[in-house]
Structure formats: structure tokens, C-alpha cells
PDB file of all heavy atoms in Angstrom:
ATOM      1  N   ALA A   1      53.784  22.650  31.056  1.00 90.00           N
ATOM      2  CA  ALA A   1      55.149  23.127  31.223  1.00 90.00           C
ATOM      3  C   ALA A   1      56.155  21.980  31.199  1.00 90.00           C
ATOM      4  O   ALA A   1      57.322  22.155  30.800  1.00 90.00           O
ATOM      5  CB  ALA A   1      55.286  23.926  32.510  1.00 90.00           C
ATOM      6  N   MET A   2      55.749  20.798  31.614  1.00 91.00           N
ATOM      7  CA  MET A   2      56.672  19.671  31.755  1.00 91.00           C
ATOM      8  C   MET A   2      56.857  18.891  30.467  1.00 91.00           C
ATOM      9  O   MET A   2      57.933  18.343  30.212  1.00 91.00           O
ATOM     10  CB  MET A   2      56.138  18.722  32.847  1.00 91.00           C
ATOM     11  CG  MET A   2      57.034  17.537  33.083  1.00 91.00           C
ATOM     12  SD  MET A   2      56.342  16.397  34.276  1.00 91.00           S
ATOM     13  CE  MET A   2      57.607  15.123  34.238  1.00 91.00           C
ATOM     14  N   ARG A   3      55.854  18.815  29.627  1.00 89.00           N
ATOM     15  CA  ARG A   3      55.907  17.969  28.444  1.00 89.00           C
ATOM     16  C   ARG A   3      57.105  18.233  27.515  1.00 89.00           C
ATOM     17  O   ARG A   3      57.769  17.294  27.096  1.00 89.00           O
ATOM     18  CB  ARG A   3      54.606  18.086  27.661  1.00 89.00           C
ATOM     19  CG  ARG A   3      53.534  17.129  28.118  1.00 89.00           C
ATOM     20  CD  ARG A   3      52.279  17.269  27.277  1.00 89.00           C
ATOM     21  NE  ARG A   3      51.187  16.460  27.794  1.00 89.00           N
ATOM     22  CZ  ARG A   3      49.926  16.649  27.478  1.00 89.00           C
ATOM     23  NH1 ARG A   3      49.608  17.634  26.663  1.00 89.00           N
ATOM     24  NH2 ARG A   3      48.992  15.870  27.962  1.00 89.00           N
ATOM     25  N   PRO A   4      57.385  19.504  27.170  1.00 90.00           N
ATOM     26  CA  PRO A   4      58.537  19.729  26.271  1.00 90.00           C
ATOM     27  C   PRO A   4      59.840  19.163  26.824  1.00 90.00           C
ATOM     28  O   PRO A   4      60.641  18.580  26.082  1.00 90.00           O
ATOM     29  CB  PRO A   4      58.567  21.259  26.141  1.00 90.00           C
ATOM     30  CG  PRO A   4      57.161  21.700  26.440  1.00 90.00           C
ATOM     31  CD  PRO A   4      56.676  20.741  27.502  1.00 90.00           C
ATOM     32  N   TYR A   5      60.078  19.364  28.125  1.00 90.00           N
ATOM     33  CA  TYR A   5      61.304  18.843  28.744  1.00 90.00           C
ATOM     34  C   TYR A   5      61.335  17.328  28.705  1.00 90.00           C
ATOM     35  O   TYR A   5      62.350  16.720  28.320  1.00 90.00           O
ATOM     36  CB  TYR A   5      61.397  19.349  30.180  1.00 90.00           C
ATOM     37  CG  TYR A   5      62.467  18.676  30.987  1.00 90.00           C
ATOM     38  CD1 TYR A   5      63.816  19.037  30.860  1.00 90.00           C
ATOM     39  CD2 TYR A   5      62.172  17.648  31.901  1.00 90.00           C
ATOM     40  CE1 TYR A   5      64.811  18.420  31.583  1.00 90.00           C
ATOM     41  CE2 TYR A   5      63.173  17.033  32.629  1.00 90.00           C
ATOM     42  CZ  TYR A   5      64.484  17.418  32.480  1.00 90.00           C
ATOM     43  OH  TYR A   5      65.459  16.800  33.182  1.00 90.00           O
ATOM     44  N   ALA A   6      60.230  16.708  29.098  1.00 88.00           N
ATOM     45  CA  ALA A   6      60.188  15.221  29.146  1.00 88.00           C
ATOM     46  C   ALA A   6      60.349  14.631  27.743  1.00 88.00           C
ATOM     47  O   ALA A   6      61.082  13.664  27.558  1.00 88.00           O
ATOM     48  CB  ALA A   6      58.862  14.764  29.767  1.00 88.00           C
ATOM     49  N   ASP A   7      59.665  15.224  26.746  1.00 84.00           N
ATOM     50  CA  ASP A   7      59.760  14.696  25.383  1.00 84.00           C
ATOM     51  C   ASP A   7      61.180  14.884  24.822  1.00 84.00           C
ATOM     52  O   ASP A   7      61.701  13.978  24.141  1.00 84.00           O
ATOM     53  CB  ASP A   7      58.764  15.407  24.471  1.00 84.00           C
ATOM     54  CG  ASP A   7      57.321  15.088  24.865  1.00 84.00           C
ATOM     55  OD1 ASP A   7      57.114  14.071  25.548  1.00 84.00           O
ATOM     56  OD2 ASP A   7      56.404  15.831  24.470  1.00 84.00           O
ATOM     57  N   LYS A   8      61.787  16.014  25.078  1.00 85.00           N
ATOM     58  CA  LYS A   8      63.140  16.259  24.565  1.00 85.00           C
ATOM     59  C   LYS A   8      64.155  15.353  25.249  1.00 85.00           C
ATOM     60  O   LYS A   8      65.083  14.847  24.590  1.00 85.00           O
ATOM     61  CB  LYS A   8      63.513  17.720  24.801  1.00 85.00           C
ATOM     62  CG  LYS A   8      64.772  18.156  24.036  1.00 85.00           C
ATOM     63  CD  LYS A   8      64.552  18.060  22.544  1.00 85.00           C
ATOM     64  CE  LYS A   8      65.808  18.488  21.780  1.00 85.00           C
ATOM     65  NZ  LYS A   8      65.614  18.366  20.303  1.00 85.00           N
ATOM     66  N   LEU A   9      63.990  15.120  26.543  1.00 84.00           N
ATOM     67  CA  LEU A   9      64.904  14.224  27.259  1.00 84.00           C
ATOM     68  C   LEU A   9      64.805  12.817  26.705  1.00 84.00           C
ATOM     69  O   LEU A   9      65.824  12.140  26.504  1.00 84.00           O
ATOM     70  CB  LEU A   9      64.562  14.243  28.761  1.00 84.00           C
ATOM     71  CG  LEU A   9      65.433  13.361  29.665  1.00 84.00           C
ATOM     72  CD1 LEU A   9      66.883  13.796  29.575  1.00 84.00           C
ATOM     73  CD2 LEU A   9      64.944  13.406  31.093  1.00 84.00           C
ATOM     74  N   THR A  10      63.587  12.340  26.468  1.00 78.00           N
ATOM     75  CA  THR A  10      63.390  11.008  25.908  1.00 78.00           C
ATOM     76  C   THR A  10      63.984  10.919  24.495  1.00 78.00           C
ATOM     77  O   THR A  10      64.627   9.936  24.121  1.00 78.00           O
ATOM     78  CB  THR A  10      61.881  10.650  25.849  1.00 78.00           C
ATOM     79  OG1 THR A  10      61.355  10.715  27.174  1.00 78.00           O
ATOM     80  CG2 THR A  10      61.676   9.259  25.301  1.00 78.00           C
ATOM     81  N   GLU A  11      63.759  11.958  23.698  1.00 77.00           N
ATOM     82  CA  GLU A  11      64.297  11.987  22.332  1.00 77.00           C
ATOM     83  C   GLU A  11      65.823  11.925  22.350  1.00 77.00           C
ATOM     84  O   GLU A  11      66.448  11.197  21.568  1.00 77.00           O
ATOM     85  CB  GLU A  11      63.815  13.244  21.623  1.00 77.00           C
ATOM     86  CG  GLU A  11      64.366  13.420  20.221  1.00 77.00           C
ATOM     87  CD  GLU A  11      63.999  14.770  19.622  1.00 77.00           C
ATOM     88  OE1 GLU A  11      63.075  15.434  20.158  1.00 77.00           O
ATOM     89  OE2 GLU A  11      64.627  15.155  18.613  1.00 77.00           O
ATOM     90  N   LEU A  12      66.434  12.724  23.215  1.00 76.00           N
ATOM     91  CA  LEU A  12      67.900  12.731  23.297  1.00 76.00           C
ATOM     92  C   LEU A  12      68.423  11.390  23.750  1.00 76.00           C
ATOM     93  O   LEU A  12      69.417  10.881  23.210  1.00 76.00           O
ATOM     94  CB  LEU A  12      68.336  13.829  24.283  1.00 76.00           C
ATOM     95  CG  LEU A  12      69.834  13.932  24.582  1.00 76.00           C
ATOM     96  CD1 LEU A  12      70.581  14.268  23.310  1.00 76.00           C
ATOM     97  CD2 LEU A  12      70.098  14.981  25.663  1.00 76.00           C
ATOM     98  N   LEU A  13      67.766  10.783  24.742  1.00 73.00           N
ATOM     99  CA  LEU A  13      68.210   9.482  25.254  1.00 73.00           C
ATOM    100  C   LEU A  13      68.134   8.416  24.178  1.00 73.00           C
ATOM    101  O   LEU A  13      69.052   7.629  23.985  1.00 73.00           O
ATOM    102  CB  LEU A  13      67.358   9.082  26.458  1.00 73.00           C
ATOM    103  CG  LEU A  13      67.626   7.712  27.039  1.00 73.00           C
ATOM    104  CD1 LEU A  13      69.020   7.654  27.608  1.00 73.00           C
ATOM    105  CD2 LEU A  13      66.619   7.357  28.105  1.00 73.00           C
ATOM    106  N   GLN A  14      66.999   8.376  23.457  1.00 70.00           N
ATOM    107  CA  GLN A  14      66.857   7.376  22.398  1.00 70.00           C
ATOM    108  C   GLN A  14      67.847   7.586  21.275  1.00 70.00           C
ATOM    109  O   GLN A  14      68.362   6.640  20.695  1.00 70.00           O
ATOM    110  CB  GLN A  14      65.417   7.410  21.864  1.00 70.00           C
ATOM    111  CG  GLN A  14      64.379   6.905  22.844  1.00 70.00           C
ATOM    112  CD  GLN A  14      62.982   6.946  22.266  1.00 70.00           C
ATOM    113  OE1 GLN A  14      62.673   7.740  21.385  1.00 70.00           O
ATOM    114  NE2 GLN A  14      62.108   6.089  22.779  1.00 70.00           N
ATOM    115  N   ASP A  15      68.123   8.837  20.967  1.00 70.00           N
ATOM    116  CA  ASP A  15      69.084   9.159  19.916  1.00 70.00           C
ATOM    117  C   ASP A  15      70.475   8.678  20.292  1.00 70.00           C
ATOM    118  O   ASP A  15      71.199   8.077  19.487  1.00 70.00           O
ATOM    119  CB  ASP A  15      69.092  10.668  19.661  1.00 70.00           C
ATOM    120  CG  ASP A  15      69.996  11.027  18.490  1.00 70.00           C
ATOM    121  OD1 ASP A  15      70.031  10.240  17.518  1.00 70.00           O
ATOM    122  OD2 ASP A  15      70.652  12.080  18.544  1.00 70.00           O
ATOM    123  N   LEU A  16      70.857   8.908  21.552  1.00 68.00           N
ATOM    124  CA  LEU A  16      72.171   8.455  22.009  1.00 68.00           C
ATOM    125  C   LEU A  16      72.221   6.946  22.138  1.00 68.00           C
ATOM    126  O   LEU A  16      73.223   6.317  21.780  1.00 68.00           O
ATOM    127  CB  LEU A  16      72.496   9.117  23.362  1.00 68.00           C
ATOM    128  CG  LEU A  16      72.743  10.631  23.351  1.00 68.00           C
ATOM    129  CD1 LEU A  16      72.955  11.130  24.762  1.00 68.00           C
ATOM    130  CD2 LEU A  16      73.935  10.983  22.488  1.00 68.00           C
ATOM    131  N   SER A  17      71.140   6.324  22.629  1.00 64.00           N
ATOM    132  CA  SER A  17      71.112   4.884  22.823  1.00 64.00           C
ATOM    133  C   SER A  17      71.221   4.160  21.495  1.00 64.00           C
ATOM    134  O   SER A  17      71.798   3.065  21.391  1.00 64.00           O
ATOM    135  CB  SER A  17      69.822   4.473  23.535  1.00 64.00           C
ATOM    136  OG  SER A  17      69.774   5.063  24.826  1.00 64.00           O
ATOM    137  N   ALA A  18      70.644   4.751  20.451  1.00 61.00           N
ATOM    138  CA  ALA A  18      70.660   4.105  19.129  1.00 61.00           C
ATOM    139  C   ALA A  18      72.062   4.061  18.558  1.00 61.00           C
ATOM    140  O   ALA A  18      72.338   3.217  17.664  1.00 61.00           O
ATOM    141  CB  ALA A  18      69.736   4.858  18.175  1.00 61.00           C
ATOM    142  N   THR A  19      72.970   4.901  19.025  1.00 61.00           N
ATOM    143  CA  THR A  19      74.333   4.922  18.482  1.00 61.00           C
ATOM    144  C   THR A  19      75.281   3.989  19.270  1.00 61.00           C
ATOM    145  O   THR A  19      76.432   3.839  18.884  1.00 61.00           O
ATOM    146  CB  THR A  19      74.906   6.351  18.531  1.00 61.00           C
ATOM    147  OG1 THR A  19      74.992   6.782  19.906  1.00 61.00           O
ATOM    148  CG2 THR A  19      74.001   7.304  17.766  1.00 61.00           C
ATOM    149  N   LEU A  20      74.790   3.380  20.347  1.00 58.00           N
ATOM    150  CA  LEU A  20      75.635   2.485  21.144  1.00 58.00           C
ATOM    151  C   LEU A  20      75.737   1.129  20.483  1.00 58.00           C
ATOM    152  O   LEU A  20      74.806   0.662  19.819  1.00 58.00           O
ATOM    153  CB  LEU A  20      75.034   2.318  22.563  1.00 58.00           C
ATOM    154  CG  LEU A  20      75.105   3.539  23.467  1.00 58.00           C
ATOM    155  CD1 LEU A  20      74.387   3.233  24.777  1.00 58.00           C
ATOM    156  CD2 LEU A  20      76.527   3.972  23.743  1.00 58.00           C
ATOM    157  N   ASP A  21      76.846   0.471  20.694  1.00 52.00           N
ATOM    158  CA  ASP A  21      77.010  -0.874  20.189  1.00 52.00           C
ATOM    159  C   ASP A  21      76.135  -1.825  20.991  1.00 52.00           C
ATOM    160  O   ASP A  21      75.773  -1.565  22.125  1.00 52.00           O
ATOM    161  CB  ASP A  21      78.475  -1.323  20.303  1.00 52.00           C
ATOM    162  CG  ASP A  21      79.373  -0.433  19.443  1.00 52.00           C
ATOM    163  OD1 ASP A  21      78.897   0.060  18.404  1.00 52.00           O
ATOM    164  OD2 ASP A  21      80.545  -0.241  19.845  1.00 52.00           O
ATOM    165  N   ALA A  22      75.814  -2.972  20.396  1.00 47.00           N
ATOM    166  CA  ALA A  22      74.920  -3.928  21.049  1.00 47.00           C
ATOM    167  C   ALA A  22      75.501  -4.451  22.371  1.00 47.00           C
ATOM    168  O   ALA A  22      74.781  -4.678  23.326  1.00 47.00           O
ATOM    169  CB  ALA A  22      74.607  -5.091  20.125  1.00 47.00           C
ATOM    170  N   ASP A  23      76.834  -4.607  22.398  1.00 45.00           N
ATOM    171  CA  ASP A  23      77.447  -5.189  23.591  1.00 45.00           C
ATOM    172  C   ASP A  23      77.660  -4.152  24.704  1.00 45.00           C
ATOM    173  O   ASP A  23      78.070  -4.497  25.796  1.00 45.00           O
ATOM    174  CB  ASP A  23      78.791  -5.836  23.239  1.00 45.00           C
ATOM    175  CG  ASP A  23      79.752  -4.837  22.600  1.00 45.00           C
ATOM    176  OD1 ASP A  23      79.307  -3.697  22.303  1.00 45.00           O
ATOM    177  OD2 ASP A  23      80.921  -5.200  22.374  1.00 45.00           O
ATOM    178  N   SER A  24      77.344  -2.900  24.416  1.00 49.00           N
ATOM    179  CA  SER A  24      77.486  -1.870  25.451  1.00 49.00           C
ATOM    180  C   SER A  24      76.159  -1.301  25.877  1.00 49.00           C
ATOM    181  O   SER A  24      76.107  -0.227  26.446  1.00 49.00           O
ATOM    182  CB  SER A  24      78.389  -0.739  24.935  1.00 49.00           C
ATOM    183  OG  SER A  24      77.821  -0.138  23.783  1.00 49.00           O
ATOM    184  N   GLY A  25      75.092  -2.050  25.586  1.00 51.00           N
ATOM    185  CA  GLY A  25      73.758  -1.564  25.908  1.00 51.00           C
ATOM    186  C   GLY A  25      73.515  -1.514  27.405  1.00 51.00           C
ATOM    187  O   GLY A  25      74.205  -2.159  28.208  1.00 51.00           O
ATOM    188  N   SER A  26      72.539  -0.752  27.790  1.00 69.00           N
ATOM    189  CA  SER A  26      72.254  -0.580  29.215  1.00 69.00           C
ATOM    190  C   SER A  26      71.500  -1.790  29.759  1.00 69.00           C
ATOM    191  O   SER A  26      70.836  -2.524  29.012  1.00 69.00           O
ATOM    192  CB  SER A  26      71.422   0.697  29.411  1.00 69.00           C
ATOM    193  OG  SER A  26      70.880   0.720  30.686  1.00 69.00           O
ATOM    194  N   LYS A  27      71.576  -1.951  31.069  1.00 81.00           N
ATOM    195  CA  LYS A  27      70.832  -3.047  31.725  1.00 81.00           C
ATOM    196  C   LYS A  27      69.333  -2.796  31.639  1.00 81.00           C
ATOM    197  O   LYS A  27      68.530  -3.716  31.799  1.00 81.00           O
ATOM    198  CB  LYS A  27      71.252  -3.155  33.174  1.00 81.00           C
ATOM    199  CG  LYS A  27      71.109  -1.846  33.962  1.00 81.00           C
ATOM    200  CD  LYS A  27      71.724  -1.945  35.348  1.00 81.00           C
ATOM    201  CE  LYS A  27      71.626  -0.593  36.067  1.00 81.00           C
ATOM    202  NZ  LYS A  27      72.268  -0.659  37.424  1.00 81.00           N
ATOM    203  N   PHE A  28      68.958  -1.548  31.373  1.00 84.00           N
ATOM    204  CA  PHE A  28      67.552  -1.213  31.237  1.00 84.00           C
ATOM    205  C   PHE A  28      67.035  -1.454  29.806  1.00 84.00           C
ATOM    206  O   PHE A  28      65.849  -1.277  29.552  1.00 84.00           O
ATOM    207  CB  PHE A  28      67.296   0.240  31.638  1.00 84.00           C
ATOM    208  CG  PHE A  28      67.644   0.536  33.048  1.00 84.00           C
ATOM    209  CD1 PHE A  28      68.684   1.411  33.360  1.00 84.00           C
ATOM    210  CD2 PHE A  28      66.950  -0.037  34.104  1.00 84.00           C
ATOM    211  CE1 PHE A  28      69.026   1.687  34.667  1.00 84.00           C
ATOM    212  CE2 PHE A  28      67.260   0.240  35.419  1.00 84.00           C
ATOM    213  CZ  PHE A  28      68.312   1.096  35.704  1.00 84.00           C
ATOM    214  N   SER A  29      67.938  -1.802  28.908  1.00 81.00           N
ATOM    215  CA  SER A  29      67.551  -2.049  27.510  1.00 81.00           C
ATOM    216  C   SER A  29      67.513  -3.547  27.178  1.00 81.00           C
ATOM    217  O   SER A  29      67.244  -3.915  26.039  1.00 81.00           O
ATOM    218  CB  SER A  29      68.537  -1.333  26.558  1.00 81.00           C
ATOM    219  OG  SER A  29      68.596   0.046  26.831  1.00 81.00           O
ATOM    220  N   GLU A  30      67.789  -4.380  28.152  1.00 83.00           N
ATOM    221  CA  GLU A  30      67.875  -5.833  27.912  1.00 83.00           C
ATOM    222  C   GLU A  30      66.527  -6.382  27.468  1.00 83.00           C
ATOM    223  O   GLU A  30      65.530  -6.290  28.164  1.00 83.00           O
ATOM    224  CB  GLU A  30      68.334  -6.526  29.191  1.00 83.00           C
ATOM    225  CG  GLU A  30      68.481  -8.022  29.033  1.00 83.00           C
ATOM    226  CD  GLU A  30      68.871  -8.714  30.337  1.00 83.00           C
ATOM    227  OE1 GLU A  30      69.158  -7.996  31.315  1.00 83.00           O
ATOM    228  OE2 GLU A  30      68.898  -9.950  30.354  1.00 83.00           O
ATOM    229  N   GLN A  31      66.527  -6.986  26.292  1.00 85.00           N
ATOM    230  CA  GLN A  31      65.319  -7.608  25.756  1.00 85.00           C
ATOM    231  C   GLN A  31      65.280  -9.083  26.159  1.00 85.00           C
ATOM    232  O   GLN A  31      66.217  -9.828  25.855  1.00 85.00           O
ATOM    233  CB  GLN A  31      65.305  -7.478  24.223  1.00 85.00           C
ATOM    234  CG  GLN A  31      65.384  -6.044  23.704  1.00 85.00           C
ATOM    235  CD  GLN A  31      64.147  -5.221  24.032  1.00 85.00           C
ATOM    236  OE1 GLN A  31      63.033  -5.762  24.051  1.00 85.00           O
ATOM    237  NE2 GLN A  31      64.336  -3.936  24.263  1.00 85.00           N
ATOM    238  N   ARG A  32      64.227  -9.484  26.818  1.00 89.00           N
ATOM    239  CA  ARG A  32      64.110 -10.859  27.311  1.00 89.00           C
ATOM    240  C   ARG A  32      62.871 -11.528  26.736  1.00 89.00           C
ATOM    241  O   ARG A  32      61.983 -10.870  26.207  1.00 89.00           O
ATOM    242  CB  ARG A  32      64.019 -10.883  28.842  1.00 89.00           C
ATOM    243  CG  ARG A  32      65.088 -10.093  29.577  1.00 89.00           C
ATOM    244  CD  ARG A  32      64.723  -9.990  31.053  1.00 89.00           C
ATOM    245  NE  ARG A  32      65.627  -9.081  31.766  1.00 89.00           N
ATOM    246  CZ  ARG A  32      65.341  -8.498  32.910  1.00 89.00           C
ATOM    247  NH1 ARG A  32      64.144  -8.689  33.471  1.00 89.00           N
ATOM    248  NH2 ARG A  32      66.199  -7.706  33.518  1.00 89.00           N
ATOM    249  N   ASP A  33      62.834 -12.835  26.888  1.00 91.00           N
ATOM    250  CA  ASP A  33      61.621 -13.567  26.559  1.00 91.00           C
ATOM    251  C   ASP A  33      60.577 -13.205  27.602  1.00 91.00           C
ATOM    252  O   ASP A  33      60.749 -13.470  28.790  1.00 91.00           O
ATOM    253  CB  ASP A  33      61.904 -15.068  26.579  1.00 91.00           C
ATOM    254  CG  ASP A  33      60.685 -15.884  26.157  1.00 91.00           C
ATOM    255  OD1 ASP A  33      59.786 -15.293  25.516  1.00 91.00           O
ATOM    256  OD2 ASP A  33      60.616 -17.086  26.503  1.00 91.00           O
ATOM    257  N   VAL A  34      59.486 -12.605  27.179  1.00 93.00           N
ATOM    258  CA  VAL A  34      58.497 -12.060  28.094  1.00 93.00           C
ATOM    259  C   VAL A  34      57.648 -13.166  28.693  1.00 93.00           C
ATOM    260  O   VAL A  34      56.878 -13.840  28.004  1.00 93.00           O
ATOM    261  CB  VAL A  34      57.575 -11.032  27.387  1.00 93.00           C
ATOM    262  CG1 VAL A  34      56.531 -10.513  28.372  1.00 93.00           C
ATOM    263  CG2 VAL A  34      58.409  -9.890  26.838  1.00 93.00           C
ATOM    264  N   LYS A  35      57.819 -13.378  30.004  1.00 93.00           N
ATOM    265  CA  LYS A  35      57.027 -14.361  30.758  1.00 93.00           C
ATOM    266  C   LYS A  35      56.286 -13.693  31.918  1.00 93.00           C
ATOM    267  O   LYS A  35      55.153 -14.070  32.239  1.00 93.00           O
ATOM    268  CB  LYS A  35      57.921 -15.476  31.293  1.00 93.00           C
ATOM    269  CG  LYS A  35      58.601 -16.314  30.201  1.00 93.00           C
ATOM    270  CD  LYS A  35      59.475 -17.390  30.804  1.00 93.00           C
ATOM    271  CE  LYS A  35      60.134 -18.215  29.715  1.00 93.00           C
ATOM    272  NZ  LYS A  35      61.027 -19.269  30.297  1.00 93.00           N
ATOM    273  N   LYS A  36      56.950 -12.723  32.531  1.00 95.00           N
ATOM    274  CA  LYS A  36      56.326 -12.005  33.658  1.00 95.00           C
ATOM    275  C   LYS A  36      56.215 -10.524  33.329  1.00 95.00           C
ATOM    276  O   LYS A  36      57.208  -9.867  33.006  1.00 95.00           O
ATOM    277  CB  LYS A  36      57.195 -12.219  34.921  1.00 95.00           C
ATOM    278  CG  LYS A  36      57.223 -13.665  35.418  1.00 95.00           C
ATOM    279  CD  LYS A  36      58.154 -13.839  36.598  1.00 95.00           C
ATOM    280  CE  LYS A  36      59.608 -13.653  36.163  1.00 95.00           C
ATOM    281  NZ  LYS A  36      60.537 -13.901  37.309  1.00 95.00           N
ATOM    282  N   VAL A  37      54.990 -10.025  33.424  1.00 96.00           N
ATOM    283  CA  VAL A  37      54.689  -8.647  33.032  1.00 96.00           C
ATOM    284  C   VAL A  37      54.137  -7.875  34.234  1.00 96.00           C
ATOM    285  O   VAL A  37      53.367  -8.423  35.023  1.00 96.00           O
ATOM    286  CB  VAL A  37      53.650  -8.624  31.882  1.00 96.00           C
ATOM    287  CG1 VAL A  37      53.350  -7.169  31.476  1.00 96.00           C
ATOM    288  CG2 VAL A  37      54.157  -9.414  30.681  1.00 96.00           C
ATOM    289  N   LEU A  38      54.545  -6.624  34.336  1.00 96.00           N
ATOM    290  CA  LEU A  38      54.039  -5.744  35.385  1.00 96.00           C
ATOM    291  C   LEU A  38      53.345  -4.554  34.727  1.00 96.00           C
ATOM    292  O   LEU A  38      53.945  -3.879  33.865  1.00 96.00           O
ATOM    293  CB  LEU A  38      55.167  -5.257  36.294  1.00 96.00           C
ATOM    294  CG  LEU A  38      54.769  -4.290  37.413  1.00 96.00           C
ATOM    295  CD1 LEU A  38      53.802  -4.962  38.385  1.00 96.00           C
ATOM    296  CD2 LEU A  38      55.997  -3.774  38.153  1.00 96.00           C
TER     297      LEU A  38
END
């Protein structure tokens, strides 16, 4: 029951995020040099 909602929410978020300018990206989208992994 949960999968369709979760997949659609992720799809919508990625679709909207892809239309944002690079300088207005979210703090959760920040790409860094990977040194510490969890």
C-alpha cells in the first residue's frame, strides 16, 4: 500500500528539483568530495 505513494513522491520531488537553478539547490543536494561515508 505504501510503495505507490513513496515512489510518486520521490518522482515528483526529483522532477521539481531538476528544474531548479544550480544556485538555488537544497542543502540536501550539496555534492561534496566524499571522504566520510555513513
Side-chain angles (χ1 to χ4, degrees):
M2 181 184 178
R3 272 182 186 161
Y5 169 78
D7 293 341
K8 193 63 180 179
L9 180 60
T10 301
E11 177 187 344
L12 177 62
L13 176 64
Q14 291 181 333
D15 185 36
L16 292 176
S17 298
T19 63
L20 291 176
D21 298 330
D23 57 353
S24 61
S26 167
K27 56 188 177 182
F28 299 114
S29 304
E30 181 183 353
Q31 303 292 326
R32 309 170 188 159
D33 183 20
V34 178
K35 296 180 180 179
K36 294 176 291 184
V37 180
L38 179 62

